[in-house]
Amino acid sequence: MKPTVHDIAKIAGVSLATVDRVLNGRPGVRSITRSKVEEAIAALGYVRDLAAANLAKSRTYSFVFILPENDNSFMIGLREEVRGAISRSSAERTHIRIADVPPFDPEALVAALEKAIADKPAGVSFVALDAPEVQAAARRVTAAGIPIVTLVSDLPDSPRDHYAGIDNIAAGRTAGSLMGRFLSGREATVAVLAGSMLVRDHRERLEGFSAAIGEAFPGIHILPVLEGRDDPALAETMISDALRRHPDMAGIYSLGAGNRGLIRAIRKADVPKRPVVIAHELTVSTRAALADGIIDAVLNQDAGHEVRSAIRVLKAKADGLPVLAAQERIRIDIFLKDNLP
Amino acid sequence: MKPTVHDIAKIAGVSLATVDRVLNGRPGVRSITRSKVEEAIAALGYVRDLAAANLAKSRTYSFVFILPENDNSFMIGLREEVRGAISRSSAERTHIRIADVPPFDPEALVAALEKAIADKPAGVSFVALDAPEVQAAARRVTAAGIPIVTLVSDLPDSPRDHYAGIDNIAAGRTAGSLMGRFLSGREATVAVLAGSMLVRDHRERLEGFSAAIGEAFPGIHILPVLEGRDDPALAETMISDALRRHPDMAGIYSLGAGNRGLIRAIRKADVPKRPVVIAHELTVSTRAALADGIIDAVLNQDAGHEVRSAIRVLKAKADGLPVLAAQERIRIDIFLKDNLP
DNA sequence: CTGTTAGCGCTTTCAA
DNA sequence: TTGAAAGCGCTAACAG
């Protein structure tokens, strides 16, 4: 039989309450008593039954998820996943609040973090913006003893406990390699469509893409980045223009959102040969374009996995437990039309 | 406050024991009483607290995992993952037994299934072999009320509750598409190295590969399949021979195991240009070959995910609970040297 | 500083 | 056919 607190109490010759105090590092135990209990714990190889403990405490983990009110499919999907987690709250002993913030607004994010601190939740998860004031706010969250998991976009040089998202440099490199291979390393001109170079993810993807191309495919020439602000209409205009100016354009890497516009531009384009297109995030539109052969590959991060992982990690951190690294690694999914889920 | 059995008892005007009997569909309740209780349950929107129930029952889920004593890296890794799960047993309230069976031996698998039935576990998971006697045995497991999750290799036309593994036809198609794209659709000869055409996974991968090539890359000619029995030494000989006979060979698809031999053969080969190589399963050797540029892409199934998923699903089935399909879908991971984990 | 006692939400004898 | 009461493993008052 698995040892319980009773066994410890018996062996150490103390009461349940004292065992509990030692187990939970609460004060008010003579060090001599404490060590007797600790010996018994070690001798028995005791491991606490978290479920029973949570039952006794009628514990629910309260978390705050701070999400940007972005209207692209990916962010909408991410929010949907958090809602899904909320609907499973009772079974998972969680209480999750979604805090909405305007996109790309560090001030608003800081305010939301302050509000979260006031709530004293068991954990906070947010889509980070790479700004000093956000880092400072994150430090305050940590100082308040609240675990942090950054979601989708990381906050380096901050004390966040975990990042639930992909390695964007690696994603960019992957896109670069695929582009190079699909173009067979021949002389070619490729365009890059980004949302904004102010966003860290986009900068990193571009960095990885350029590096991979530069190292292995010297014949490929990358045009200056087009910043489409993740806006379909703007993306459409920019890509149409670019295709007109460079009718020989052999490839397009779309590393941000707004792919609906990109897809429209390509469908309408009057070019001898469709360019190789690699985009990010599997959405209704990119999926359809992949199936139709308009897009050649889609790199994806699984929003559901990210949200579930963030919750698991926050729980573990709240309980001071280790996480299963392999389970929490967010993959860079590569989808061709052949392996669509 | 979340409603509890006490609330139900109060509202229905019965005792806890009766509520419990209704909740668990146990006999000995007048139908009039039963409906009173059911009304109360519905009115309150009651959902049972599984953790509390398991505590009261001091329940542990006992599972049997039947694994082939195969000595390739993938199977070794799979076994390692099951061991990892065993080491987490106490926290996860599971008791997992590994049953070893000789590989590719339907009789042995059937015997192991029979033994599992005798154990009366809460669930069984096994790497299926596609044989009628195995299907029959699986039916007996189901008849005994034991949930089944097939692992890595599926058993069609059987009543298995779930399959924790990848879609091998899609994997083959993916390999085919990548091969075609990497070869730019030019005239080319490619070889296929399989373990055995008697294994369903391998047949399906070949089927998908051939289909994808046939549909989109008519210039590519696929040589007759080489059956290397997942044996490195044999694979090495076969690939070396093939490269000698076809010095112009442009690609190799290795859809089984034994990749160490394949890699050695390629390293030693005296050919003008290295072929494009696509292999399955990320192992120490395929990983190194990927990094060195010997292998161009590796398709992988995450053994850790498969095992954790199998356990989650078996638990859910044992409790009659639904599963989160998105969480349990095993992806076809595509690794280039740029997105290695 | 330490122990007693009453639960958390559910299940399970054992009586009635 | 129903109910009372004890208990799963742990925690949290409240006394001493």
Side-chain angles (χ1 to χ4, degrees):
Chain A
M1 226 36 214
K2 256 184 61 181
T4 74
V5 279
H6 290 92
D7 302 318
I8 301 175
K10 202 164 297 168
I11 295 204
V14 297
S15 73
L16 283 187
T18 300
V19 173
D20 186 64
R21 284 188 267 259
V22 173
L23 240 28
N24 293 287
R26 272 188 283 269
V29 187
R30 266 189 312 168
S31 65
I32 171 80
T33 317
R34 178 172 303 266
S35 37
K36 266 196 303 188
V37 174
E38 277 163 352
E39 269 173 44
I41 292 176
L44 290 170
Y46 169 86
V47 283
R48 157 216 257 96
D49 183 329
L50 227 198
N54 283 345
L55 175 59
K57 286 193 285 204
S58 19
R59 163 163 216 181
T60 75
Y61 301 80
S62 68
F63 298 135
V64 176
F65 274 70
I66 306 175
L67 306 175
E69 291 171 305
N70 226 316
D71 65 344
N72 64 58
S73 305
F74 177 75
M75 280 300 170
I76 291 172
L78 186 74
R79 181 173 301 257
E80 207 43 60
E81 293 292 345
V82 179
R83 290 225 187 80
I86 290 177
S87 76
R88 282 175 268 122
S89 280
S90 71
E92 298 180 354
R93 284 195 123 77
T94 54
H95 176 85
I96 297 172
R97 175 169 76 79
I98 296 182
D100 297 303
V101 290
F104 305 117
D105 182 343
E107 300 299 326
L109 179 50
V110 168
L113 285 167
E114 296 295 351
K115 188 147 176 300
I117 295 176
D119 272 12
K120 300 196 183 311
V124 172
S125 186
F126 64 98
V127 179
L129 286 177
D130 190 16
E133 60 265 43
V134 175
Q135 280 176 27
R139 254 182 279 279
R140 270 170 268 143
V141 174
T142 303
I146 303 170
I148 296 180
V149 170
T150 48
L151 192 64
V152 176
S153 182
D154 198 8
L155 189 57
D157 304 319
S158 81
R160 94 278 190 286
D161 295 85
H162 183 80
Y163 164 53
I166 60 169
D167 175 342
N168 285 297
I169 295 186
R173 293 195 63 95
T174 304
S177 273
L178 280 177
M179 181 65 79
R181 301 299 305 252
F182 284 1
L183 294 176
S184 326
R186 56 185 153 88
E187 293 287 319
T189 299
V190 308
V192 175
L193 174 67
S196 158
M197 280 300 103
L198 295 176
V199 191
R200 185 178 189 91
D201 325 16
H202 290 198
R203 280 203 314 274
E204 291 185 343
R205 288 176 190 173
L206 175 61
E207 179 187 335
F209 183 77
S210 307
I213 294 276
E215 290 164 21
F217 306 99
I220 293 183
H221 172 236
I222 303 175
L223 295 172
V225 177
L226 304 170
E227 294 191 53
R229 288 195 255 138
D230 289 355
D231 173 15
L234 186 52
E236 180 171 3
T237 315
M238 295 183 118
I239 292 296
S240 293
D241 281 3
L243 285 170
R244 209 167 303 123
R245 280 201 311 275
H246 304 274
D248 61 327
M249 188 188 296
I252 301 175
Y253 174 38
S254 166
L255 53 76
N259 285 318
R260 283 204 310 285
L262 163 75
I263 293 164
R264 274 199 302 266
I266 296 173
R267 284 195 196 275
K268 290 195 312 205
D270 179 27
V271 286
K273 188 163 181 295
R274 272 186 185 154
V276 168
V277 178
I278 298 178
H280 274 264
E281 314 313 354
L282 193 65
T283 62
V284 177
S285 37
T286 55
R287 174 186 209 98
L290 204 46
D292 289 355
I294 302 283
I295 291 185
D296 297 85
V298 168
L299 303 194
N300 185 66
Q301 52 187 322
D302 185 326
H305 188 188
E306 290 175 327
V307 170
R308 289 188 297 271
S309 175
I311 293 171
R312 270 195 303 265
V313 173
L314 284 177
K315 272 189 177 175
K317 297 296 176 188
D319 292 330
L321 260 37
V323 302
L324 249 179
Q327 178 166 211
E328 312 310 348
R329 224 198 76 246
I330 309 297
R331 309 166 180 40
I332 299 166
D333 292 327
I334 302 175
F335 290 114
L336 308 181
K337 68 172 184 309
D338 308 280
N339 65 334
L340 282 173
Chain B
M1 230 30 215
K2 257 185 59 181
T4 72
V5 277
H6 289 92
D7 302 318
I8 300 175
K10 203 164 296 168
I11 294 203
V14 297
S15 74
L16 285 186
T18 300
V19 172
D20 186 66
R21 284 187 266 260
V22 174
L23 240 27
N24 293 287
R26 272 188 283 269
V29 186
R30 269 188 311 169
S31 66
I32 171 79
T33 316
R34 179 172 301 267
S35 36
K36 264 195 304 187
V37 174
E38 278 163 351
E39 269 172 43
I41 292 176
L44 289 170
Y46 169 85
V47 283
R48 158 216 259 96
D49 183 329
L50 226 199
N54 283 346
L55 175 60
K57 285 193 284 202
S58 19
R59 163 163 216 184
T60 74
Y61 301 81
S62 68
F63 299 134
V64 176
F65 274 69
I66 306 176
L67 305 176
E69 292 172 304
N70 226 315
D71 64 346
N72 64 57
S73 305
F74 177 75
M75 280 301 172
I76 291 172
L78 186 74
R79 181 174 301 256
E80 209 42 61
E81 292 293 344
V82 179
R83 290 224 188 83
I86 291 177
S87 75
R88 281 175 268 121
S89 281
S90 70
E92 297 180 355
R93 284 196 121 78
T94 53
H95 176 85
I96 297 172
R97 176 169 75 81
I98 296 182
D100 297 303
V101 291
F104 306 118
D105 183 343
E107 299 301 326
L109 180 51
V110 168
L113 285 167
E114 296 295 350
K115 188 146 175 299
I117 295 176
D119 273 11
K120 299 195 184 311
V124 172
S125 185
F126 63 98
V127 180
L129 287 176
D130 190 18
E133 58 266 44
V134 175
Q135 280 176 28
R139 252 182 281 278
R140 269 170 270 143
V141 174
T142 302
I146 303 172
I148 295 180
V149 170
T150 48
L151 192 64
V152 177
S153 182
D154 198 10
L155 189 58
D157 305 319
S158 81
R160 94 279 192 286
D161 296 85
H162 182 81
Y163 164 52
I166 60 170
D167 175 342
N168 284 296
I169 295 186
R173 293 195 64 95
T174 304
S177 272
L178 280 177
M179 182 64 81
R181 300 299 304 254
F182 285 1
L183 294 176
S184 327
R186 57 187 153 88
E187 292 288 320
T189 300
V190 307
V192 175
L193 173 68
S196 159
M197 281 300 102
L198 296 174
V199 192
R200 185 180 188 90
D201 325 15
H202 291 197
R203 282 205 312 275
E204 290 185 342
R205 288 176 189 174
L206 176 61
E207 179 187 335
F209 183 77
S210 308
I213 294 274
E215 290 164 21
F217 306 99
I220 294 183
H221 172 237
I222 304 176
L223 295 173
V225 177
L226 304 170
E227 295 189 53
R229 288 195 256 138
D230 290 354
D231 173 15
L234 186 52
E236 180 172 3
T237 315
M238 295 183 117
I239 291 295
S240 293
D241 281 5
L243 284 170
R244 208 168 303 123
R245 280 201 312 276
H246 304 273
D248 61 324
M249 188 190 296
I252 302 174
Y253 174 39
S254 166
L255 53 74
N259 285 317
R260 281 204 310 286
L262 163 73
I263 293 164
R264 274 199 302 267
I266 296 173
R267 283 194 195 274
K268 290 196 311 205
D270 178 27
V271 286
K273 189 163 180 295
R274 272 186 184 152
V276 168
V277 178
I278 298 178
H280 273 263
E281 312 315 353
L282 192 65
T283 63
V284 176
S285 37
T286 56
R287 175 189 208 94
L290 204 47
D292 289 355
I294 302 283
I295 291 185
D296 297 85
V298 168
L299 304 193
N300 185 66
Q301 51 186 323
D302 186 327
H305 188 188
E306 290 174 328
V307 170
R308 289 188 296 271
S309 175
I311 293 171
R312 271 196 303 265
V313 171
L314 284 178
K315 272 190 177 174
K317 297 295 177 190
D319 292 330
L321 260 36
V323 301
L324 249 180
Q327 179 167 210
E328 311 311 348
R329 224 198 77 245
I330 309 297
R331 309 167 181 39
I332 299 167
D333 292 326
I334 302 175
F335 290 115
L336 308 181
K337 68 171 185 308
D338 308 281
N339 65 334
L340 282 173

